[in-house]
Amino acid sequence: MNQIIKIFIACILIAFALVATAQNITQNITGTIRDNVTGEPIIGANIVLVGSSPITGTVSNIAGQFLLEDISVGQVSLKISFVGYRTVEILNRELRPGKTLDLNIFMEEMVVTGKEVVISGTIDKKGSLNTMTSVSSRTFTVDETRRYAGSRGDVARMASNYAGVQVATDSRNDIVIRGNSPSGLQWRLDGMEIPNPNHYGAFGTTGGPVSILNNNQLDNSDFLTGAFPAEYGNSLSGVFDLRLKNGNSTEYEFMGMVGFNGFELGAEGPFSKKSDASFIANYRYSTMEIFELIGMTFGTGTAIPKYQDFSFKVNLPTKKLGNFSLYGMGGKSKIQFLDSERDTSEVEFYGGEGWDLKNGSDLIVVGLNHVMHINKTAFVKTGLSYSYHHFYVNQDSIVPESKEIVPYYYSNFKENRVLFSTFLKKRVNQKNNFQAGIAINYYVSDMYDSIFQEKQNMFNSITSYKGSSNLFRPYITWQLKLNHRLVFNAGVDYMFYTYNSTSNIEPRFGVLYNTSQNSKISMAYGLHSQILPTTAYNRETYLGPGHYIQMNKDLALQKSHHIVLGYDYNITKFIRLKAETYYQHLYDVAVNANRNDEYSLLNQGADFYVWSPDTLKSTGTGTNYGLEITVEHFLNKGYYFLATGSLFESKYKGSDNFERNTAFNSNYVLNLLAGKEFVLHKNSANPKLLTKKRTLGADIKLNWAGGRRYTPIDKDKSKIEHRPVYITDKTFDYQFPDYFRTDIKVYFKHGGKKSNYEMGIDVQNIFNNQNIYSQNFNTSTGEIYNTYQLGIMVIPYFRIEF
């Protein structure tokens, strides 16, 4: 701890030494204004800097673009207006030295009924970028992923602060949405579905210890938690609809950062001053070796995580051929947990007593998008992407007495995906618009794993599959704006999986009623389905030496009915109250077919593997229902807070048809976040003309949730068998004590004429609460003991932009 504090103080002294001579600090604001349905540029929109005197403003050009030059840095607000459209207010966005603020703004055409013209303003109150969404959605910004204490720049950990969402454990960023398995989440990047975007990401899971996604490259994006529109298929619980931002098309900008996630370098800029073509790229390399040297632990014991990742986007607009964009991301990670060399005082989430484990993963995603405007009322967007995902595990057992290392488990899973998507979106008239499209996923899998059977003295195959399959998903969505108060959204999605010719028709419906300018009620229903992990379909049943059979090939798609009712009220311009209640029924869930027991695939997905019996049947069910409350003060005058509370039940039935708690039924979650920034220096003669900008800020997060569910260990039977033996008729009946954690972040920002830097310390679990992770059995002593989640973590970071 003392070493970390010394390092941070040294960084502060170095930073102050770098302060430039006094100059007025200004920066530019750029952006593009488009119709929120057709994407057509809006020409001649008025853009005004709120609070400027004299008034500072401009109008959008023929491409919908605008530029505000030499704006004093700090929190800025804009008002955008255009005849026939609702006024949009962008509030309190951070304008930083050395970094142009680039905004993508979408305006909504007003509905004119008879002679009545309704003019009302809209503010970015965290609705949804997707105009077809009725409930359970929120837009988030890259600023939020940086701002929230404990988020580590990770969008998944950031989203765990929202109502109805929680991180499964400290060790990974898998998120549980309304009691669902994390596997029910879908990740999308620039409109295309992508594999698990996390280092050490196993097949069938959606999380991991460290995210590959670089938040420095994200634009405003959507997060949906239920009853989503028909364009989102192959998901049961939620969708991260992430969008990559375009690089600066006028100036070159650079970024460097060191923190928990690694050493980062970034660059963006134009290809040519004569066009709007631009690029942005980021690279990151793990810093875990350095943190380990100064005594920090991350639940990996003596094992050092090693990883690196990259991301990029190239934007190529043309005058006649439409807009092309090429994007990509990738990551490589590996680690070794050697219990044969482990310090027994170290806590390990990822390894295990009596095992040597070697694990790694590789991910590559590359995509090409094209947008062509047919006319002012319609456009076509087409995307093609390729991804490669590789995950491997080598696990050896250690004989307690002799310490002999015996091979036990081996896996090598590879999957290539080629995805194609195209859709037409058209405004028919002021009241009606629709979107119709198709998504085609082509999977090529090469999967093998085996386990050593001591009685047979041989390795038996668990999975052995090489093959390909397709997922076809045509859909159509339609929106009717009956008037300025009442909006209907409807659609249907069809899924057909060629692997076993399973299919499902999925109707979606939503309605939104604006009771006033400041409040609305909404309701939505949706039938959703999802294919199973490829590993579950291809589990093999051992019939005898050299003889195996696949029993799970004909499993149905897992399905879910969503019903959500919501109320949203803007108490003031900056304070919002939101409440939602929901009911979810899951069916055709994979459960054990060999015998009547407690197994269900709904309890999988929050670990480095998805385990399933070799014989499954699609007869299981599940039920989730609850109430969520959000009270939020949006950032204003350097201050914000977010309070979310969730009460819920999450139940399931296995093949024994007995209702139990799911592994994720913690029953309640409460999050409290708050932050404040203080400006330390202004020019005394004219406060609006900054010579330097120095800001001190602090953020705090409190998380209180029900404890993890667990199945108790039978101590006597475990002693006899020299392994943990669980009391299966008590599966998830027991619950650990409540989870409580407090995170605090303190930071300092300095802005000069051409650059800015930020340094800080993120202290996670500052009170060192001993939250229980799991119950375990010690084979040497014959005693049951608890493993605890992460204790206090002090993470310094430094970031510079120029």
Side-chain angles (χ1 to χ4, degrees), residues 551-763:
M551 301 292 291
N552 297 336
K553 294 191 69 172
D554 295 325
L555 291 170
L557 301 171
Q558 294 191 145
K559 304 176 183 69
S560 173
H561 292 286
H562 290 215
I563 301 175
V564 184
L565 178 65
Y567 175 72
D568 206 319
Y569 177 53
N570 292 331
I571 301 172
T572 69
K573 193 172 185 178
F574 298 101
I575 301 178
R576 173 205 198 190
L577 168 67
K578 182 180 180 181
E580 286 194 343
T581 184
Y582 63 89
Y583 177 83
Q584 182 185 8
H585 173 67
L586 299 107
Y587 63 102
D588 286 351
V589 175
V591 295
N592 201 338
N594 279 327
R595 62 179 185 269
N596 291 331
D597 68 7
E598 77 289 346
Y599 176 84
S600 172
L601 199 58
L602 294 181
N603 295 314
Q604 301 291 311
D607 212 329
F608 290 91
Y609 62 93
V610 173
W611 180 84
S612 63
D614 58 16
T615 308
L616 296 169
K617 59 182 179 180
S618 300
T619 60
T621 61
T623 302
N624 300 315
Y625 57 89
L627 173 67
E628 303 165 358
I629 304 291
T630 299
V631 180
E632 183 169 13
H633 184 289
F634 296 96
L635 183 66
N636 184 44
K637 297 181 180 179
Y639 166 69
Y640 78 92
F641 72 77
L642 172 66
T644 63
S646 306
L647 294 173
F648 64 96
E649 284 286 348
S650 179
K651 303 286 189 177
Y652 81 99
K653 289 183 180 180
S655 56
D656 59 3
N657 206 35
F658 183 81
E659 187 174 65
R660 295 179 171 86
N661 295 296
T662 69
F664 311 110
N665 189 24
S666 64
N667 298 121
Y668 50 86
V669 181
L670 176 66
N671 290 304
L672 298 173
L673 296 94
K676 174 65 177 175
E677 285 191 349
F678 303 90
V679 177
L680 302 180
H681 179 86
K682 287 185 177 181
N683 184 298
S684 58
N686 186 350
K688 293 185 179 181
L689 293 178
L690 302 181
T691 56
K692 304 181 185 71
K693 186 178 180 185
R694 297 173 181 169
T695 304
L696 182 66
D699 298 89
I700 185 171
K701 171 188 174 181
L702 287 82
N703 177 225
W704 176 31
R708 285 168 56 84
R709 293 279 174 179
Y710 72 99
T711 303
I713 294 174
D714 188 317
K715 184 176 180 180
D716 294 332
K717 290 184 178 180
S718 297
K719 286 182 177 180
I720 294 172
E721 298 192 24
H722 299 286
R723 65 178 182 87
V725 177
Y726 295 92
I727 307 173
T728 56
D729 61 353
K730 298 291 184 182
T731 298
F732 303 130
D733 272 6
Y734 290 71
Q735 193 171 14
F736 291 127
D738 285 359
Y739 176 98
F740 186 80
R741 173 173 146 174
T742 303
D743 301 331
I744 291 179
K745 184 172 73 171
V746 180
Y747 57 90
F748 172 79
K749 296 180 182 179
H750 179 275
K753 178 66 176 178
K754 295 293 184 180
S755 65
N756 71 85
Y757 62 81
E758 176 182 339
M759 63 179 62
I761 293 182
D762 197 344
V763 186

